[in-house]
Coordinates of all heavy atoms in Angstrom, one line a residue:
M22 N 0.8 -1.2 0.0 CA 0.0 0.0 0.1 C 0.9 1.2 0.1 O 1.8 1.3 0.9 CB -0.9 0.0 1.2 CG -1.8 1.1 1.2 SD -2.6 1.8 2.7 CE -3.4 0.5 3.4
T23 N 0.6 2.3 -0.9 CA 1.4 3.4 -1.0 C 0.7 4.5 -0.2 O -0.6 4.7 -0.2 CB 1.3 3.9 -2.4 OG1 2.0 2.7 -3.1 CG2 2.3 5.1 -2.5
T24 N 1.4 5.2 0.6 CA 0.8 6.3 1.5 C 1.2 7.5 0.9 O 2.5 7.8 0.6 CB 1.4 6.2 2.9 OG1 1.0 4.8 3.4 CG2 0.7 7.3 3.7
H25 N 0.3 8.5 0.6 CA 0.7 9.7 0.1 C 0.7 10.8 1.2 O -0.1 10.8 2.0 CB -0.5 10.0 -1.0 CG -0.5 9.2 -2.1 ND1 0.3 9.2 -3.1 CD2 -1.3 8.3 -2.4 CE1 0.0 8.3 -3.9 NE2 -1.1 7.6 -3.6
A26 N 1.8 11.5 1.1 CA 2.0 12.4 2.1 C 1.1 13.7 1.9 O 0.8 14.0 0.8 CB 3.5 13.0 2.2
V27 N 0.8 14.3 3.1 CA -0.1 15.6 3.0 C 1.0 16.6 2.5 O 2.1 16.7 2.9 CB -0.5 15.9 4.4 CG1 -1.1 17.3 4.4 CG2 -1.5 14.9 4.9
L28 N 0.4 17.4 1.5 CA 1.2 18.5 0.9 C 1.2 19.8 1.7 O 0.2 20.1 2.4 CB 0.8 18.7 -0.5 CG 0.9 17.7 -1.5 CD1 0.3 17.9 -2.8 CD2 2.4 17.1 -1.6
P29 N 2.4 20.5 1.8 CA 2.3 21.6 2.6 C 1.6 22.8 1.8 O 2.3 23.9 1.5 CB 3.9 21.9 2.8 CG 4.4 21.5 1.6 CD 3.7 20.2 1.2
V30 N 0.4 22.6 1.4 CA -0.3 23.5 0.6 C -1.6 23.9 1.2 O -2.3 23.0 1.9 CB -0.6 22.8 -0.8 CG1 -1.6 23.6 -1.7 CG2 0.6 22.5 -1.5
S31 N -1.9 25.1 1.1 CA -3.3 25.7 1.6 C -4.1 26.0 0.2 O -3.7 26.8 -0.5 CB -3.1 26.9 2.3 OG -4.4 27.5 2.7
I32 N -5.1 25.3 0.2 CA -6.1 25.6 -1.0 C -7.1 26.6 -0.5 O -7.8 26.4 0.3 CB -6.8 24.3 -1.6 CG1 -5.7 23.3 -2.2 CG2 -7.7 24.7 -2.6 CD1 -6.2 22.1 -2.8
N33 N -7.1 27.6 -1.2 CA -8.1 28.7 -0.8 C -9.2 28.8 -1.9 O -8.8 28.8 -3.1 CB -7.5 30.1 -0.8 CG -6.6 30.2 0.6 OD1 -6.9 30.7 1.6 ND2 -5.3 29.7 0.4
I34 N -10.5 28.8 -1.6 CA -11.6 28.7 -2.5 C -12.5 29.9 -2.2 O -13.2 29.8 -1.0 CB -12.4 27.4 -2.5 CG1 -11.3 26.3 -2.9 CG2 -13.5 27.4 -3.5 CD1 -11.9 24.9 -2.6
C35 N -12.6 30.8 -3.0 CA -13.5 32.0 -2.7 C -14.9 31.5 -3.2 O -15.0 31.1 -4.3 CB -13.1 33.3 -3.5 SG -11.5 33.8 -2.9
T36 N -16.0 31.8 -2.6 CA -17.3 31.3 -2.9 C -18.4 32.6 -2.7 O -18.2 33.4 -1.9 CB -17.8 30.2 -2.1 OG1 -17.9 30.5 -0.7 CG2 -16.9 28.9 -2.2
Y37 N -19.4 32.3 -3.4 CA -20.6 33.1 -3.3 C -21.8 32.4 -3.9 O -21.8 32.1 -5.1 CB -20.6 34.5 -3.9 CG -21.8 35.3 -3.8 CD1 -22.2 35.9 -2.4 CD2 -22.7 35.5 -4.8 CE1 -23.3 36.6 -2.3 CE2 -23.8 36.2 -4.6 CZ -24.2 36.7 -3.4 OH -25.4 37.4 -3.3
N38 N -22.6 31.9 -3.2 CA -23.9 31.0 -3.6 C -23.4 29.9 -4.6 O -23.9 29.9 -5.7 CB -24.9 32.0 -4.2 CG -25.6 32.9 -3.2 OD1 -25.7 32.5 -2.0 ND2 -26.1 33.9 -3.6
E39 N -22.5 29.0 -4.1 CA -22.0 27.9 -4.8 C -22.6 26.7 -4.4 O -21.9 25.6 -4.5 CB -20.5 27.9 -4.8 CG -19.8 29.1 -5.5 CD -20.1 29.1 -6.9 OE1 -20.3 28.1 -7.6 OE2 -19.9 30.3 -7.6
E40 N -23.8 26.6 -3.8 CA -24.4 25.4 -3.3 C -24.4 24.3 -4.3 O -24.1 23.1 -3.9 CB -25.8 25.6 -2.9 CG -26.6 24.5 -2.4 CD -28.0 24.9 -1.9 OE1 -28.4 26.0 -2.2 OE2 -28.6 24.0 -1.4
Q41 N -24.5 24.4 -5.5 CA -24.7 23.5 -6.7 C -23.3 22.9 -6.9 O -23.2 21.7 -7.3 CB -25.2 24.0 -7.8 CG -26.6 24.5 -7.7 CD -27.6 23.3 -7.3 OE1 -27.6 22.3 -7.8 NE2 -28.4 23.5 -6.3
D42 N -22.2 23.6 -6.7 CA -20.9 23.2 -7.1 C -19.9 22.9 -6.0 O -18.8 22.3 -6.4 CB -20.3 24.2 -8.2 CG -21.1 24.4 -9.4 OD1 -21.6 23.3 -10.0 OD2 -21.4 25.6 -9.8
I43 N -20.0 23.4 -5.0 CA -19.1 23.4 -3.8 C -18.6 22.0 -3.5 O -17.5 21.8 -3.1 CB -19.4 24.3 -2.6 CG1 -18.2 24.5 -1.7 CG2 -20.5 23.7 -1.8 CD1 -17.1 25.3 -2.3
A44 N -19.5 21.0 -3.3 CA -19.3 19.7 -3.0 C -18.2 19.1 -3.8 O -17.2 18.4 -3.5 CB -20.5 18.8 -2.8
G45 N -18.5 19.2 -5.2 CA -17.5 18.6 -6.2 C -16.2 19.3 -6.2 O -15.1 18.6 -6.3
C46 N -16.3 20.6 -6.0 CA -15.0 21.4 -6.0 C -14.2 20.9 -4.8 O -13.0 20.7 -4.8 CB -15.3 22.9 -5.9 SG -13.8 23.9 -5.7
L47 N -14.8 20.8 -3.6 CA -14.1 20.4 -2.4 C -13.7 18.9 -2.4 O -12.5 18.6 -2.0 CB -14.9 20.5 -1.1 CG -15.2 22.1 -0.7 CD1 -16.2 22.2 0.5 CD2 -13.9 22.8 -0.4
A48 N -14.4 18.2 -3.1 CA -14.0 16.7 -3.3 C -12.7 16.6 -4.0 O -11.8 15.9 -3.7 CB -15.0 15.9 -3.9
Q49 N -12.6 17.4 -5.2 CA -11.3 17.5 -5.9 C -10.2 18.0 -5.1 O -9.0 17.6 -5.2 CB -11.6 18.2 -7.2 CG -12.5 17.6 -8.2 CD -11.9 16.2 -8.7 OE1 -10.8 16.2 -9.1 NE2 -12.7 15.2 -8.7
A50 N -10.5 19.2 -4.5 CA -9.4 19.9 -3.6 C -8.9 18.8 -2.5 O -7.7 18.7 -2.4 CB -9.9 21.0 -2.9
F51 N -9.6 18.2 -1.8 CA -9.2 17.3 -0.9 C -8.5 16.0 -1.4 O -7.6 15.4 -0.7 CB -10.4 16.7 0.0 CG -10.8 17.8 1.2 CD1 -12.1 18.3 1.2 CD2 -10.0 18.1 2.1 CE1 -12.4 19.3 2.1 CE2 -10.3 19.0 3.2 CZ -11.5 19.5 3.1
A52 N -8.8 15.6 -2.7 CA -8.2 14.4 -3.4 C -6.8 14.7 -3.5 O -6.1 13.7 -3.7 CB -8.9 14.2 -4.6
N53 N -6.4 16.0 -3.5 CA -5.0 16.3 -3.8 C -4.2 16.3 -2.5 O -2.9 16.5 -2.5 CB -4.9 17.6 -4.5 CG -5.2 17.5 -5.9 OD1 -4.6 16.8 -6.7 ND2 -6.4 18.1 -6.3
R54 N -4.8 16.0 -1.4 CA -4.2 15.8 -0.1 C -3.5 17.1 0.5 O -2.3 17.0 0.9 CB -3.3 14.6 0.0 CG -4.0 13.4 -0.3 CD -3.3 12.0 -0.1 NE -2.7 12.1 1.2 CZ -3.2 11.6 2.4 NH1 -4.4 11.3 2.5 NH2 -2.5 11.5 3.4
P55 N -4.0 18.3 0.4 CA -3.4 19.5 0.9 C -3.5 19.5 2.5 O -4.3 18.8 3.1 CB -4.3 20.7 0.4 CG -5.7 20.0 0.4 CD -5.4 18.6 -0.2
A56 N -2.6 20.1 3.0 CA -2.7 20.3 4.4 C -3.9 21.0 5.0 O -4.3 20.7 6.1 CB -1.3 21.1 5.0
E57 N -4.4 22.0 4.3 CA -5.7 22.7 4.5 C -6.4 23.2 3.4 O -5.9 23.4 2.4 CB -5.4 23.8 5.6 CG -4.5 25.0 5.0 CD -4.2 26.0 5.9 OE1 -4.6 25.9 7.2 OE2 -3.5 26.9 5.5
V58 N -7.8 23.2 3.6 CA -8.6 23.9 2.5 C -9.5 24.9 3.3 O -10.2 24.6 4.3 CB -9.6 22.6 2.0 CG1 -10.5 23.3 0.9 CG2 -8.7 21.7 1.3
I59 N -9.4 26.0 2.7 CA -10.0 27.2 3.3 C -11.1 27.7 2.3 O -10.8 28.0 1.2 CB -9.1 28.4 3.7 CG1 -8.0 27.8 4.7 CG2 -9.9 29.5 4.3 CD1 -7.0 28.8 4.9
V60 N -12.3 27.9 2.8 CA -13.3 28.4 1.9 C -13.6 29.9 2.6 O -13.8 29.9 3.7 CB -14.7 27.5 2.0 CG1 -15.9 28.4 1.4 CG2 -14.4 26.3 1.2
I61 N -13.4 30.9 1.6 CA -13.8 32.2 2.1 C -15.1 32.6 1.4 O -15.0 32.9 0.1 CB -12.5 33.1 1.6 CG1 -11.2 32.6 2.1 CG2 -12.8 34.5 2.2 CD1 -10.4 31.8 1.0
D62 N -16.1 32.7 2.2 CA -17.5 32.9 1.7 C -17.7 34.6 1.6 O -17.5 35.1 2.6 CB -18.4 32.3 2.4 CG -19.8 32.4 1.7 OD1 -19.9 31.8 0.6 OD2 -20.7 33.1 2.2
G63 N -18.4 34.9 0.5 CA -18.6 36.3 0.4 C -20.1 36.8 0.6 O -20.6 37.6 0.0
G64 N -20.7 36.0 1.6 CA -22.1 36.3 2.0 C -23.1 35.6 1.3 O -24.3 36.0 1.0
S65 N -22.9 34.3 1.1 CA -23.8 33.4 0.5 C -25.2 33.3 1.2 O -25.1 33.4 2.4 CB -23.3 31.9 0.3 OG -22.2 31.9 -0.6
T66 N -26.3 33.2 0.4 CA -27.5 33.0 1.0 C -28.1 31.7 0.9 O -29.2 31.4 1.3 CB -28.6 34.1 0.5 OG1 -28.5 33.9 -0.9 CG2 -28.0 35.4 0.8
D67 N -27.3 30.8 0.3 CA -27.6 29.4 0.1 C -27.0 28.5 1.1 O -26.5 29.0 2.1 CB -27.5 28.9 -1.3 CG -26.1 28.9 -1.8 OD1 -25.2 29.2 -0.9 OD2 -25.8 28.7 -3.0
R68 N -26.8 27.3 0.7 CA -26.2 26.3 1.8 C -24.7 26.1 1.5 O -24.1 25.1 2.1 CB -26.9 25.0 1.7 CG -28.4 25.0 2.1 CD -29.0 23.7 1.9 NE -28.3 22.5 2.6 CZ -27.7 21.5 2.1 NH1 -28.0 21.3 0.7 NH2 -27.2 20.5 2.7
T69 N -24.0 27.0 0.9 CA -22.6 26.9 0.5 C -21.8 26.7 1.9 O -20.9 25.7 1.9 CB -22.0 28.2 -0.2 OG1 -22.7 28.3 -1.5 CG2 -20.6 28.1 -0.5
V70 N -21.9 27.6 2.8 CA -21.1 27.5 4.0 C -21.4 26.2 4.8 O -20.5 25.5 5.3 CB -21.5 28.7 4.9 CG1 -20.8 28.5 6.3 CG2 -20.9 30.1 4.2
E71 N -22.6 25.8 4.8 CA -23.1 24.5 5.6 C -22.4 23.3 4.8 O -21.8 22.5 5.6 CB -24.5 24.5 5.5 CG -25.1 23.2 6.1 CD -26.6 23.1 5.9 OE1 -27.4 24.1 5.8 OE2 -27.1 22.0 6.0
I72 N -22.4 23.2 3.5 CA -21.8 22.1 2.8 C -20.3 22.2 3.1 O -19.7 21.1 3.3 CB -22.2 22.2 1.4 CG1 -23.6 22.0 1.3 CG2 -21.4 21.2 0.6 CD1 -24.3 22.3 -0.1
A73 N -19.7 23.3 3.0 CA -18.2 23.4 3.0 C -17.9 22.8 4.5 O -16.8 22.2 4.6 CB -17.8 24.7 2.8
R74 N -18.5 23.4 5.5 CA -18.1 22.9 6.8 C -18.2 21.4 7.0 O -17.5 20.8 7.7 CB -19.0 23.7 7.8 CG -18.4 25.1 8.1 CD -19.1 25.7 9.4 NE -18.5 27.0 9.6 CZ -19.2 28.1 9.7 NH1 -20.6 28.1 9.6 NH2 -18.7 29.3 9.8
A75 N -19.5 20.9 6.5 CA -19.8 19.4 6.7 C -18.6 18.6 6.0 O -18.5 17.5 6.4 CB -21.1 19.2 6.1
M76 N -18.1 19.2 4.9 CA -17.0 18.4 4.2 C -15.6 18.6 4.8 O -14.7 17.9 4.3 CB -17.1 18.8 2.7 CG -18.2 18.3 1.9 SD -18.1 18.6 0.3 CE -16.9 17.4 -0.3
G77 N -15.6 19.3 5.8 CA -14.3 19.5 6.5 C -13.4 20.6 6.1 O -12.2 20.7 6.7
A78 N -13.9 21.5 5.4 CA -13.2 22.7 5.0 C -13.3 23.8 6.3 O -14.2 23.9 7.0 CB -13.7 23.4 3.8
T79 N -12.2 24.6 6.4 CA -12.2 25.7 7.2 C -12.9 26.8 6.5 O -12.7 27.1 5.3 CB -10.7 26.1 7.6 OG1 -9.9 25.1 8.3 CG2 -10.8 27.5 8.4
V80 N -14.0 27.3 7.2 CA -14.9 28.4 6.5 C -14.6 29.7 7.2 O -14.8 29.9 8.3 CB -16.3 28.0 6.5 CG1 -17.1 29.1 5.8 CG2 -16.5 26.8 5.7
L81 N -14.3 30.8 6.3 CA -14.2 32.2 6.8 C -15.2 32.9 6.1 O -15.7 32.6 5.1 CB -12.9 32.7 6.3 CG -11.6 32.1 6.5 CD1 -10.4 32.8 6.1 CD2 -11.4 31.9 8.2
Q82 N -15.9 33.8 7.0 CA -17.0 34.5 6.5 C -16.8 36.0 6.7 O -17.4 36.7 7.5 CB -18.3 34.1 7.1 CG -18.8 32.7 6.8 CD -20.0 32.3 7.5 OE1 -20.0 32.0 8.7 NE2 -21.1 32.4 6.8
P83 N -15.9 36.7 5.9 CA -15.6 38.1 6.1 C -16.7 39.0 5.6 O -16.6 40.2 5.9 CB -14.4 38.3 5.2 CG -14.4 37.2 4.1 CD -15.1 36.1 4.8
G84 N -17.8 38.5 5.1 CA -18.8 39.3 4.6 C -18.7 39.8 3.1 O -17.7 39.3 2.5
V85 N -19.6 40.6 2.7 CA -19.6 40.9 1.4 C -18.5 42.1 1.2 O -19.0 43.3 1.4 CB -21.0 41.5 0.9 CG1 -21.0 41.8 -0.7 CG2 -22.0 40.3 1.2
K86 N -17.4 41.9 0.8 CA -16.4 42.8 0.7 C -15.7 42.8 -0.7 O -14.8 43.6 -1.0 CB -15.3 42.6 1.8 CG -15.8 42.9 3.2 CD -14.8 42.8 4.2 CE -15.2 43.0 5.6 NZ -14.1 43.0 6.5
G87 N -15.9 41.8 -1.5 CA -15.3 41.8 -2.8 C -14.4 40.7 -2.9 O -13.7 40.2 -1.9
L88 N -14.0 40.1 -4.2 CA -13.2 39.0 -4.4 C -11.8 39.3 -3.9 O -11.1 38.4 -3.2 CB -13.2 38.7 -5.9 CG -12.4 37.5 -6.3 CD1 -12.9 36.2 -5.5 CD2 -12.5 37.2 -7.8
S89 N -11.2 40.5 -4.0 CA -9.9 40.7 -3.7 C -9.7 40.6 -2.0 O -8.8 40.1 -1.6 CB -9.4 42.0 -4.1 OG -10.1 43.0 -3.8
S90 N -10.9 41.0 -1.4 CA -10.7 41.1 0.1 C -11.0 39.5 0.5 O -10.2 39.2 1.5 CB -12.0 41.9 0.6 OG -11.6 43.2 0.5
Q91 N -11.7 38.8 -0.2 CA -11.8 37.4 0.2 C -10.4 36.6 0.0 O -10.1 35.9 0.8 CB -12.9 36.7 -0.8 CG -14.3 36.9 -0.5 CD -15.1 36.2 -1.4 OE1 -15.6 36.8 -2.4 NE2 -15.5 35.2 -1.2
R92 N -9.8 36.9 -1.1 CA -8.5 36.4 -1.4 C -7.5 36.8 -0.3 O -6.6 35.9 0.1 CB -8.0 36.7 -2.8 CG -8.6 36.2 -4.0 CD -8.0 36.7 -5.2 NE -8.8 35.9 -6.4 CZ -9.0 36.6 -7.5 NH1 -8.5 37.8 -7.8 NH2 -9.6 35.9 -8.5
Q93 N -7.5 38.0 0.1 CA -6.5 38.4 1.2 C -6.8 37.7 2.5 O -6.0 37.3 3.2 CB -6.6 40.0 1.3 CG -5.6 40.5 2.2 CD -4.1 40.2 1.6 OE1 -3.8 40.5 0.5 NE2 -3.3 39.5 2.4
A94 N -8.2 37.7 2.8 CA -8.6 36.9 4.0 C -8.0 35.4 4.0 O -7.5 35.0 5.0 CB -10.1 37.0 4.2
G95 N -8.1 34.8 2.8 CA -7.5 33.4 2.7 C -6.0 33.3 2.9 O -5.6 32.5 3.6
I96 N -5.5 34.3 2.2 CA -3.9 34.4 2.4 C -3.6 34.6 3.9 O -2.7 33.9 4.4 CB -3.4 35.5 1.6 CG1 -3.5 35.1 0.1 CG2 -1.8 35.9 1.9 CD1 -3.1 36.2 -0.9
D97 N -4.2 35.6 4.5 CA -3.9 35.8 5.9 C -4.3 34.6 6.8 O -3.6 34.5 7.9 CB -4.8 37.0 6.4 CG -4.3 38.2 5.7 OD1 -3.3 38.5 5.1 OD2 -5.2 39.2 5.8
A98 N -5.2 33.8 6.5 CA -5.5 32.7 7.4 C -4.7 31.3 7.1 O -4.7 30.4 7.9 CB -7.0 32.4 7.2
S99 N -4.0 31.4 6.0 CA -3.4 30.3 5.6 C -2.1 30.0 6.5 O -1.5 30.9 6.8 CB -2.9 30.4 4.1 OG -4.1 30.4 3.2
T100 N -1.9 28.7 6.8 CA -0.8 28.3 7.7 C 0.4 27.6 6.9 O 1.3 27.2 7.5 CB -1.2 27.5 8.8 OG1 -1.8 26.3 8.2 CG2 -2.4 28.2 9.6
Q101 N 0.2 27.4 5.7 CA 1.1 26.7 4.8 C 1.9 27.5 4.0 O 1.6 28.6 3.6 CB 0.3 25.7 4.0 CG -0.4 24.7 4.7 CD 0.3 23.9 5.7 OE1 1.4 23.2 5.4 NE2 -0.1 23.9 7.0
P102 N 3.1 27.0 3.6 CA 4.1 27.9 2.9 C 3.5 28.1 1.4 O 4.2 29.1 0.7 CB 5.4 27.2 2.9 CG 5.0 25.8 3.2 CD 3.8 25.7 4.0
Y103 N 2.7 27.2 0.9 CA 2.3 27.4 -0.6 C 0.7 27.5 -0.5 O 0.1 26.8 0.3 CB 2.7 26.2 -1.4 CG 4.2 26.0 -1.4 CD1 4.7 24.9 -0.5 CD2 5.0 26.7 -2.2 CE1 6.1 24.7 -0.6 CE2 6.3 26.5 -2.1 CZ 6.9 25.6 -1.4 OH 8.3 25.3 -1.4
I104 N 0.3 28.5 -1.4 CA -1.2 28.7 -1.3 C -1.6 28.6 -2.8 O -1.0 29.2 -3.8 CB -1.4 30.2 -0.8 CG1 -1.0 30.4 0.6 CG2 -3.0 30.4 -1.0 CD1 -1.1 31.8 1.1

């Protein structure tokens, strides 16, 4: 059996009302074995945040501030050397 190491990578995913696609996106992200997956939500009104948390992602909710602010929040929260 081959064991795959966890990569020193933080995957940051910015979202806004992605209920239909977030599960598939996160499944693909986790399949790559990153050290962490962070979802930065821009104020979704659907189940995006609930799904992301249930799948094991760290979820940040900085509010409706725009994509660049979401990206910066993810960078600031990342604990890995590669983002």
Side-chain angles (χ1 to χ4, degrees):
M22 180 198 307
T23 303
T24 305
H25 297 285
V27 172
L28 300 174
V30 173
S31 174
I32 296 179
N33 288 263
I34 303 169
C35 298
T36 60
Y37 178 74
N38 289 338
E39 294 293 337
E40 178 179 10
Q41 297 299 315
D42 298 314
I43 192 64
C46 179
L47 288 172
Q49 290 297 313
F51 282 117
N53 288 293
R54 302 190 47 84
E57 63 186 357
V58 175
I59 301 173
V60 170
I61 309 95
D62 188 70
S65 293
T66 57
D67 63 3
R68 295 180 53 241
T69 300
V70 169
E71 177 184 337
I72 294 166
R74 281 194 179 122
M76 291 188 71
T79 298
V80 178
L81 306 178
Q82 293 179 278
V85 183
K86 295 183 178 183
L88 185 56
S89 62
S90 291
Q91 282 177 272
R92 288 178 178 151
Q93 189 61 55
I96 290 167
D97 292 344
S99 294
T100 63
Q101 299 303 303
Y103 302 104
I104 300 172

